[in-house]
């Protein structure tokens, strides 16, 4: 996903992966494709939809390989860390995009 904006953060509690505590994360906003893929996925209960969607949006989680950032792994997050990542996504929504900046001179006509 070239050009996708991301935001970085640190988990308070962290998540254990192969015996190592991971705290750093990078997350992006979900796409319609992400939502469709999660909705059509098998084995994810309706109550786990947002967690599965978040697993697709985490572009990094410490040294965890991308293919290991899954619904099952994120189920072990603390509730506080889960909310922290969701807040980071909300902040990313509010962050102005470089492509939204106007290149026109804002001064009125001379």
């Amino acid at each position: 996903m070239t050009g996708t904006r991301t935001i970085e953060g640190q988990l308070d509690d962290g998540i254990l992966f192969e015996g190592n505590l991971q705290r750093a994360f990078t997350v992006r906003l979900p796409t319609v494709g992400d939502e469709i893929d999660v909705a059509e996925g098998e084995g994810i209960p309706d109550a786990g939809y947002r967690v599965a969607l978040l697993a697709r949006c985490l572009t990094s989680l410490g040294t965890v390989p991308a293919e290991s950032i899954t619904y099952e792994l994120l189920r072990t997050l603390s509730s506080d860390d889960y909310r922290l990542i969701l807040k980071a996504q909300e902040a990313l929504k509010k962050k102005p995009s470089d492509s939204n900046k106007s290149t026109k001179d804002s001064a009125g006509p001379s």
Side-chain angles (χ1 to χ4, degrees):
M1 297 194 132
T2 309
T4 302
R5 294 183 306 139
T6 60
I7 191 167
E8 297 176 351
Q10 292 285 320
L11 301 176
D12 289 335
D13 299 318
I15 191 166
L16 271 178
F17 181 77
E18 295 182 348
N20 296 308
L21 191 61
Q22 310 294 323
R23 285 205 166 98
F25 70 87
T26 305
V27 68
R28 64 173 174 79
L29 295 175
T31 65
V32 172
D34 292 328
E35 293 179 6
I36 292 168
D37 290 346
V38 170
E40 291 179 346
E42 295 181 24
I44 307 287
D46 289 344
Y49 173 84
R50 289 188 69 189
V51 175
L53 187 60
L54 185 60
R56 294 184 62 86
C57 295
L58 278 167
T59 60
S60 72
L61 183 56
T63 60
V64 177
E67 63 274 5
S68 296
I69 303 173
T70 63
Y71 167 77
E72 288 300 325
L73 178 66
L74 295 191
R75 285 176 46 112
T76 66
L77 273 174
S78 71
S79 294
D80 289 341
D81 280 349
Y82 174 72
R83 283 190 293 274
L84 194 146
I85 298 171
L86 293 180
K87 285 181 185 178
Q89 281 185 315
E90 285 299 314
L92 185 56
K93 283 183 192 178
K94 296 174 184 175
K95 187 177 176 183
S97 167
D98 288 338
S99 63
N100 290 340
K101 292 181 182 174
S102 175
T103 57
K104 294 182 180 179
D105 184 0
S106 60
S110 38

